[in-house]
Amino acid sequence: MPKLTIDGKEIEVEDGLTILQACEEADVEIPRFCYHERLSIAGNCRMCLVEMERAPKPVASCAMPAGEGMVIKTNTPLVKKAREGVMEFMLINHPLDCPICDQGGECDLQDQSMAYGLDGTRYTESKRAMAEQNFGPLIKTEMTRCISCTRCVRFTTEVAGVHELGQTGRGEDAEIVSYLGAVVTNEMSGNVIDLCPVGALTSRPYEFNARPWELRKTQSIDVMDAVGSNIRVDVRGREVMRVMPINNDDVNEEWISDKTRFIWDGLKTRRLDTPYLRKDGALVATTWSEAFEAIAKKVKTSDKNKMAGLIGDLNGAEEIFAFKSLMDSLGVDNVDCRQDRSNIRPEWAGRAGYIFNSGINAIEDADALLIIGSNPRLEATVLNSRIIKAVKQNEMPVALVGEAADLAYEYTHIGNGAESLNELLKGKHSFAKTLKAAKRPMIIVGQGTFIGDDAKAIFETIANLATNIGAINDDWTGLNFLQSAASRVAALDLGCVPKNESVNYNSILNASKAGDLDLLFLLSADEMKLCDLDNSFVVYMGSHGDVGANSADIILPSAAYTEKFATYINLEGRAQLGHKATFAPGNAKDDWAIIRALSDHLGHKLPFDSLEALRSKMFDIAPHFAHIGSQSAGDMSQLQSQKISGDISSTPLNSTIADYYHTNPIARASKIMDDCKAAKLAAISEATGTNG
């Protein structure tokens, strides 16, 4: 570990650190534009110049490794003059349009020009103007402001894993462009808006909507997938204006998906704000009391075996617990949370049989990866960036069993069907040797693996394969199950699957369609067809007018995820708290409060009157829900003891997500998501020469 002196202070740093990183450890601020700790070093901007003893000129601290005995000075007249000169160069062509720039108030160039620049310039020539680029519906470009830091280029290549942006030309003709002028369509493209240190790349949907000092900022948790990305919800008045990432190295680092970032306009449209009751075939506004009495009347005339409950993908643990408690009090066993039609069951191997056991961070430690029945790029976009990192930095080999897709990295396609698992288990495929030779092999299993009737046999085969290749041992936990719904792990933890293994989401909908269900409760469940619900009395609790609400006989309006306090358990089994950023519209209420009030009218009063009391009861059932920020592991021994009890079919293992931009009611209500889908389809059409 080298020792060096920075501004008269001697410090010791780890091998491989740069001078800039060493200065940060010494609490010395170094200005920079191109450097970013999660991207490769470019050394473009030279704003990080420092003086090094015996060096003939100032050195770029971001690109110079820290060495033994170095003497670094960061506040000398030479450094000050160098930084002023660099800033003068930066502003040669930069337009003076700060008052109308959306980056105003959050602009690194603005801040650093005040801190390190001059109050004038020696350049009097005309400023260069650059043509604007069409990067698509999410990113607005003002390339005249661009300082060629190349952060956006490095991000799309290194983190998103796609080659969509690059720099062309030299000197004053250098500019950032998209490949062949195509729109940027990767699922993480919005992160370049945060990375851009100037106003060259800004948010097109947010354009001219608000200034940062107008916004009230609330930390929360994303529910667009099961990763549990940490987010900041920015609100003006009662309206969500934008969603931003919060750094969490264990979960999402500092990235979020485009769906997470731009879903906010869907929170404003198709909202349910008052109870509705169907009369003479039409839904009419009603009171809460009248709606509850209508439900109570129907419950009294219904058999508990002809009632069922379905749980959606966006719910917090509190409302799931309240809903399950109400169903239990009514004697209703047919309660299912598996909207993706997966047949996975908690009793197969306990919690270890449905969570991402190793944790997201451990992907970077794996040295071989097998993906089964999943498309991580669509199911868990931010998690997929970790795989990209491991492939690029560690040259990790990847193989896929299931539907071939563009995952943003190269992989060996073993086969479409589950029968390929037998080839791996018996060592007949060459990738089996790769897995066997790996010190830390990892298997990621998507829920598309368990949709068929042979789900249990496939599960047992995968568990045996993981044990055989050493993916489960005392030192390494490499068998992971990838959930795609934010509510799924919490619901499985709380036992929200029917006790009868032959009953599942599909069979409940089939019974409803056939008229064999008297009463069906939907807790924000919308992933079905309208005709599936025609012949049952449907009670819908949710925030948006989607399939469930359109089919409902009674609608109970509830709060969206930005409008309530809730606990979310991510795919790793990590408990995280979502906070209330704004209020629900009209008469909409928190789901748990609706369920508690309904229980009174049904004569089955639930034993809590506040969110705190509910959580206390919930923690008695699931104590790990109280360990906020911690990943609660499952018992891996149950996976190691699995025996294969059935045969595997040749049914293809497809991802459970077919339409990435319309996976839930909020997404389907979002015009921005509609625009993204249209841009993606247009890009595919142009690339392939087809019409759709």
Side-chain angles (χ1 to χ4, degrees):
M1 297 175 67
K3 290 183 180 179
L4 64 161
T5 303
I6 299 175
D7 290 344
K9 178 182 177 182
E10 186 177 80
I11 66 165
E12 187 175 27
V13 298
E14 296 179 12
D15 291 329
L17 292 190
T18 64
I19 292 175
L20 187 149
Q21 292 169 319
C23 289
E24 288 182 338
E25 293 203 1
D27 295 325
V28 175
E29 181 182 358
I30 302 294
R32 81 292 298 266
F33 290 114
C34 67
Y35 174 81
H36 191 278
E37 53 271 16
R38 300 195 192 278
L39 304 176
S40 62
I41 294 170
N44 291 340
C45 72
R46 317 312 270 188
M47 193 66 200
C48 64
L49 293 174
V50 297
E51 187 176 348
M52 185 169 71
E53 199 172 82
R54 296 190 300 274
K57 58 183 179 179
V59 299
S61 60
C62 72
M64 176 69 72
E68 181 69 34
M70 282 184 173
V71 178
I72 306 298
K73 298 175 183 177
T74 69
N75 56 4
T76 64
L78 177 63
V79 172
K80 182 177 184 295
K81 184 177 180 181
R83 289 174 180 172
E84 289 173 348
V86 169
M87 184 58 68
E88 197 172 359
F89 273 114
M90 292 286 180
L91 297 174
I92 290 175
N93 289 307
H94 198 82
L96 304 177
D97 57 356
C98 296
I100 61 164
C101 176
D102 267 330
Q103 201 85 333
E106 298 174 312
C107 178
D108 290 347
L109 184 64
Q110 200 174 50
D111 295 340
Q112 292 187 41
S113 67
M114 291 294 292
Y116 304 104
L118 295 166
D119 60 356
T121 179
R122 290 168 287 177
Y123 291 91
T124 58
E125 292 84 356
S126 299
K127 291 180 180 286
R128 177 196 66 177
M130 302 295 293
E132 299 313 316
Q133 306 289 330
N134 179 19
F135 283 4
L138 302 180
I139 304 169
K140 182 179 185 298
T141 64
E142 290 282 353
M143 302 314 290
T144 302
R145 301 171 184 159
C146 180
I147 61 171
S148 293
C149 70
T150 69
R151 280 186 179 183
C152 55
V153 176
R154 285 175 283 148
F155 171 83
T156 55
T157 305
E158 298 166 10
V159 180
V162 294
H163 297 274
E164 290 188 317
L165 296 179
Q167 186 174 36
T168 63
R170 293 172 64 85
E172 69 172 13
D173 295 323
E175 58 179 328
I176 303 294
V177 297
S178 61
Y179 181 67
L180 295 179
V183 299
V184 178
T185 58
N186 77 78
E187 296 79 12
M188 295 182 70
S189 65
N191 290 288
V192 302
I193 297 168
D194 298 336
L195 287 171
C196 184
V198 295
L201 304 177
T202 55
S203 171
R204 189 179 293 278
Y206 175 70
E207 181 183 15
F208 305 136
N209 278 349
R211 288 296 195 182
W213 53 85
E214 300 177 285
L215 304 175
R216 186 176 69 254
K217 302 168 178 63
T218 305
Q219 295 188 17
S220 195
I221 302 299
D222 172 53
V223 298
M224 293 300 113
D225 55 33
V227 173
S229 297
N230 288 220
I231 58 173
R232 192 188 80 202
V233 182
D234 289 359
V235 175
R236 184 175 62 188
R238 296 181 61 171
E239 186 177 2
V240 175
M241 303 302 294
R242 63 178 181 179
V243 175
M244 306 283 283
I246 291 178
N247 185 78
N248 185 326
D249 287 343
D250 292 329
V251 182
N252 59 301
E253 297 183 302
E254 59 189 86
W255 318 123
I256 53 175
S257 70
D258 286 350
K259 191 157 55 173
T260 299
R261 183 184 297 271
F262 294 106
I263 200 72
W264 49 266
D265 72 317
L267 294 165
K268 308 173 189 177
T269 55
R270 300 187 195 172
R271 291 304 304 268
L272 302 173
D273 59 2
T274 193
Y276 285 89
L277 175 64
R278 193 174 293 277
K279 294 180 179 178
D280 300 323
L283 285 168
V284 295
T286 186
T287 64
W288 283 102
S289 295
E290 187 178 2
F292 288 153
E293 288 303 322
I295 297 170
K297 183 178 179 181
K298 186 65 181 177
V299 168
K300 288 177 183 177
T301 61
S302 300
D303 185 280
K304 66 181 181 180
N305 296 316
K306 289 192 173 185
M307 291 192 286
L310 299 178
I311 297 171
D313 293 340
L314 309 182
N315 297 298
E318 287 82 359
E319 56 252 35
I320 297 171
F321 172 75
F323 185 76
K324 182 67 164 61
S325 299
L326 179 61
M327 294 296 103
D328 287 345
S329 71
L330 296 174
V332 178
D333 176 56
N334 295 331
V335 177
D336 204 344
C337 64
R338 301 165 296 180
Q339 276 203 124
D340 53 17
R341 276 63 172 178
S342 167
N343 288 313
I344 199 165
R345 297 185 64 85
E347 63 266 24
W348 288 352
R351 203 163 192 255
Y354 56 84
I355 68 171
F356 206 89
N357 291 289
S358 71
I360 297 172
N361 251 341
I363 293 173
E364 297 176 33
D365 299 324
D367 52 4
L369 174 63
L370 174 64
I371 300 172
I372 303 172
S374 176
N375 182 338
R377 181 172 176 178
L378 303 184
E379 295 172 28
T381 305
V382 176
L383 181 145
N384 197 57
S385 71
R386 299 278 191 143
I387 301 177
I388 294 169
K389 184 189 293 188
V391 170
K392 289 183 178 294
Q393 295 183 357
N394 308 334
E395 298 183 348
M396 178 180 70
V398 181
L400 172 68
V401 174
E403 179 184 18
D406 182 4
L407 302 181
Y409 41 84
E410 292 185 0
Y411 60 84
T412 301
H413 189 220
I414 296 176
N416 289 326
E419 75 279 0
S420 300
L421 296 173
N422 285 326
E423 291 184 38
L424 290 168
L425 185 61
K426 295 173 183 176
K428 293 183 178 180
H429 194 279
S430 59
F431 200 78
K433 297 178 181 177
T434 302
L435 291 170
K436 193 78 173 174
K439 294 179 180 179
R440 294 179 300 278
M442 180 176 286
I443 300 176
I444 295 178
V445 188
Q447 296 310 295
T449 307
F450 305 114
I451 289 178
D453 295 332
D454 56 350
K456 193 168 192 299
I458 293 175
F459 181 89
E460 293 161 345
T461 301
I462 292 171
N464 276 266
L465 174 62
T467 303
N468 187 37
I469 65 173
I472 306 174
N473 55 53
D474 294 339
D475 301 319
W476 176 249
T477 302
L479 178 54
N480 297 310
F481 297 89
L482 181 61
Q483 302 291 345
S484 58
S487 63
R488 188 66 47 80
V489 171
L492 292 174
D493 282 347
L494 294 169
C496 295
V497 295
K499 291 181 179 146
N500 186 342
E501 290 196 25
S502 64
V503 179
N504 55 26
Y505 207 90
N506 272 339
S507 66
I508 290 172
L509 291 178
N510 289 337
S512 174
K513 191 173 184 178
D516 295 332
L517 270 185
D518 293 338
L519 180 56
L520 180 60
F521 291 91
L522 303 179
L523 181 62
S524 301
D526 291 275
E527 308 311 313
M528 69 279 288
K529 298 176 182 176
L530 286 168
C531 59
D532 290 339
L533 308 174
D534 283 348
N535 298 315
S536 293
F537 188 90
V538 177
V539 177
Y540 178 79
M541 281 174 274
S543 60
H544 283 70
D546 206 75
V547 174
N550 287 326
S551 305
D553 295 281
I554 294 176
I555 294 174
L556 306 176
S558 65
Y561 72 104
T562 56
E563 300 158 358
K564 60 188 175 186
F565 296 100
T567 304
Y568 297 99
I569 314 298
N570 80 342
L571 51 79
E572 308 167 289
R574 185 188 305 272
Q576 301 186 106
L577 281 180
H579 293 93
K580 184 174 185 173
T582 185
F583 294 94
N587 292 321
K589 302 180 184 298
D590 287 358
D591 297 85
W592 74 265
I594 295 171
I595 296 166
R596 167 63 182 80
L598 175 59
S599 71
D600 258 355
H601 287 262
L602 298 181
H604 294 270
K605 183 177 178 180
L606 295 176
F608 47 81
D609 293 315
S610 66
L611 184 61
E612 291 72 22
L614 182 155
R615 284 176 171 167
S616 178
K617 296 289 183 184
M618 181 174 71
F619 295 157
D620 291 340
I621 303 296
H624 54 280
F625 284 14
H627 302 155
I628 301 301
S630 299
Q631 180 190 354
S632 301
D635 181 4
M636 301 304 294
S637 63
Q638 295 187 59
L639 285 169
Q640 291 175 294
S641 60
Q642 295 288 317
K643 294 182 179 179
I644 301 174
S645 59
D647 295 326
I648 291 176
S649 71
S650 58
T651 305
L653 305 181
N654 297 330
S655 170
T656 56
I657 293 182
D659 188 350
Y660 173 76
Y661 293 107
H662 286 162
T663 52
N664 59 64
I666 303 176
R668 289 189 284 271
S670 168
K671 183 182 182 303
I672 299 174
M673 292 298 103
D674 290 343
D675 293 342
C676 289
K677 181 179 178 180
K680 185 81 169 180
L681 292 174
I684 293 172
S685 175
E686 185 175 343
T688 59
T690 62
N691 293 320

